[in-house]
Amino acid sequence: MATISPASDFAPTAAAPRAAATAARTRDLRLDFFRGIAMFIILVAHIPFNPWAGWIPARFGFSDATEIFVFCSGMASAIAFGGAFLKRGWWMGTARIAFRVWQVYWAHIGLFFFTAMCMAALDLSGLFEKSYVDGLNLQHFFGDPMPQIVGLFTLTYVPNYFDILPMYLVVLAMMPLMMGLRQVGFWAMALASVLIWAVAQTGALALPAEPWSERQWFFNPFGWQLLFFTGFAFMRGWIPAPPVHKALIWAAALFVVLSAPFGSWKVFLWVDAWNPTVSEPIRETWKVTGELRDKTDFALLRYVHFLSLAYLGWVVAGDKGTRLLPQGNGGLARLWQIVLNVILKVGQQSLAVFVFSMAAARLLGVLLDLGGRDAATVLAVNLFGFALIAAVAYGAAWFKSHPWKSRT
């Protein structure tokens, strides 16, 4: 990829290099594909006591679908918002970011109140022995709502389960700062991002999540911004695309495979059941590497693991995702084209899909409570959830197309 000069990104009257500007505007097939895959994984992971959640990538390594979502969001932001800085200058670019932050903020508020209402309605129905409000740890909110509503709107109360969007909007709000530093040079922006991440690892930048305990935001935005701006820089062309090289492929693959026993407690238990002697050093390594694989502050091992997975996915998908396209005209090729179209559409409408899926996941868990968790019921509920988020993606795209406007 071409490197963009600092001036080209902020002077509205300056002509940006044509190749770099085109690269930033063009939506890579791989971006929508992997973000779409992340949306399906996130749905599976958030359905309560979903047996399928035992087989998501998070169970086999340090990173998971959250990393895919944040990294791809950084790439998508380079396309969606980077152009505003490029064409209209820093102030108008900042205004564009402020509008997006406003949208994400109200998506967060709406998601919380809709989900809280659903849990309250289930408890009030009297049809269930357990409390869905307590299951989502919302008893404090309903027990003393006035201070919690204030905390919710000021982001000093970030309940469990509702922590991704607050992290995302804070990272978005950091973009004008990073783009301003980009005027000095890419090195200034990169150094700032790394330093903020490093300070976050010390716990100095932790944000309070609730007033009655010392719990912090589960996703510290000052740690996770490193991944977001890495994706942003790749898409803008500030970081060159890595070469396809056998040594890099082997290094990434070996790191992913060899780190699996240390990346997930589930894999550790399997090794422990297979051979307790072998599991002993793994157990000790698990304890020692705790801070290096921490999810809250986005620790180093998660970053390296995700970059390794991303590189392998980048190589397998091929240039611009050409290997993702169906080969031939047979029945399987046509079926894959249909599946691919759905995945891409879900990836393109990720915010709408994410908000819907977080609410729907709790209700899909109710279906599992009612129908049981045998293999057939679990299959049906998960596929039903997939169909729902696909419908939401197509519906969101239809509304965004403004079909009521005249085409003439």
Side-chain angles (χ1 to χ4, degrees), residues 157-181:
Y157 170 47
V158 179
N160 300 106
Y161 192 80
F162 302 96
D163 33 35
I164 293 182
L165 289 181
M167 175 266 286
Y168 178 47
L169 68 87
V170 172
V171 173
L172 278 176
M174 295 175 66
M175 193 182 299
L177 168 65
M178 294 301 179
M179 296 299 277
L181 290 172

Side-chain angles (χ1 to χ4, degrees), residues 6 21 45 47 74 76 97 106 123 128 133 163 172 207 220 245 274 294 307-308 332 340 347 353 359 363 367 377 387:
I47 298 175
I97 293 300
W106 286 109
D123 283 8
F128 306 92
V133 166
D163 33 35
L172 278 176
L207 299 173
N220 184 344
H245 194 282
W274 166 60
D294 179 65
L307 291 181
S308 299
L332 288 178
L340 178 62
V353 168
L363 300 179
L367 293 182
T377 303

Side-chain angles (χ1 to χ4, degrees), residues 81-399:
F81 312 129
F85 288 92
L86 176 68
K87 298 174 184 177
R88 303 296 303 277
W90 188 85
W91 284 107
M92 291 305 296
T94 299
R96 180 68 182 91
I97 293 300
F99 180 65
R100 187 57 169 177
V101 168
W102 181 253
Q103 290 176 315
V104 175
Y105 174 81
W106 286 109
H108 167 65
I109 297 298
L111 170 63
F112 173 82
F113 277 108
F114 177 80
T115 306
M117 179 276 296
C118 290
M119 299 303 99
L122 290 169
D123 283 8
L124 290 173
S125 70
L127 300 176
F128 306 92
E129 294 183 1
K130 68 176 184 178
S131 169
Y132 286 96
V133 166
D134 291 351
L136 203 51
N137 197 29
L138 295 179
Q139 63 273 20
H140 293 283
F141 175 79
F142 286 103
D144 191 14
M146 285 196 293
Q148 310 327 327
I149 288 177
V150 173
L152 185 74
F153 277 81
T154 58
L155 299 181
T156 55
Y157 170 47
V158 179
N160 300 106
Y161 192 80
F162 302 96
D163 33 35
I164 293 182
L165 289 181
M167 175 266 286
Y168 178 47
L169 68 87
V170 172
V171 173
L172 278 176
M174 295 175 66
M175 193 182 299
L177 168 65
M178 294 301 179
M179 296 299 277
L181 290 172
R182 177 68 179 90
Q183 289 183 286
V184 179
F186 174 69
W187 62 269
M189 173 185 171
L191 181 61
S193 181
V194 171
L195 286 177
I196 292 171
W197 171 83
V199 174
Q201 304 310 300
T202 68
L205 299 177
L207 299 173
E210 56 193 22
W212 58 84
S213 77
E214 296 182 356
R215 186 174 69 85
Q216 305 166 0
W217 282 26
F218 186 73
F219 296 106
N220 184 344
F222 302 109
W224 282 83
Q225 55 79 28
L226 177 65
L227 183 61
F228 178 91
F229 289 112
T230 300
F232 189 96
F234 269 119
M235 184 56 74
R236 293 302 302 172
W238 299 339
I239 300 177
V244 179
H245 194 282
K246 286 185 178 180
L248 285 176
I249 294 173
W250 274 106
L254 285 174
F255 182 83
V256 169
V257 172
L258 296 179
S259 65
F262 309 102
S264 170
W265 189 251
K266 176 181 179 178
V267 177
F268 163 74
L269 292 177
W270 288 347
V271 176
D272 194 42
W274 166 60
N275 190 326
T277 303
V278 173
S279 74
E280 185 59 31
I282 297 178
R283 185 192 300 273
E284 292 304 314
T285 305
W286 174 272
K287 296 177 182 178
V288 172
T289 60
E291 292 186 359
L292 293 176
R293 54 182 165 77
D294 179 65
K295 188 170 186 176
T296 291
D297 296 319
F298 187 61
L300 181 61
L301 287 179
R302 301 188 72 89
Y303 189 50
V304 177
H305 186 267
F306 174 77
L307 291 181
S308 299
L309 276 178
Y311 177 71
L312 294 175
W314 183 79
V315 171
V316 170
D319 185 44
K320 301 297 182 182
T322 52
R323 295 198 189 101
L324 298 174
L325 298 172
Q327 306 298 318
N329 298 312
L332 288 178
R334 290 193 294 271
L335 176 61
W336 172 242
Q337 184 64 68
I338 294 172
V339 173
L340 178 62
N341 289 341
V342 171
I343 294 173
L344 294 176
K345 187 65 69 175
V346 169
Q348 291 163 6
Q349 307 298 330
S350 59
L351 180 59
V353 168
F354 175 81
V355 172
F356 174 83
S357 68
M358 293 295 285
R362 307 305 300 187
L363 300 179
L364 292 171
V366 177
L367 293 182
L368 289 179
D369 290 342
L370 294 172
R373 285 174 168 77
D374 58 277
T377 303
V378 169
L379 173 66
V381 168
N382 279 278
L383 292 182
F384 178 56
F386 291 171
L388 288 176
I389 63 174
V392 167
Y394 278 94
W398 184 80
F399 280 108

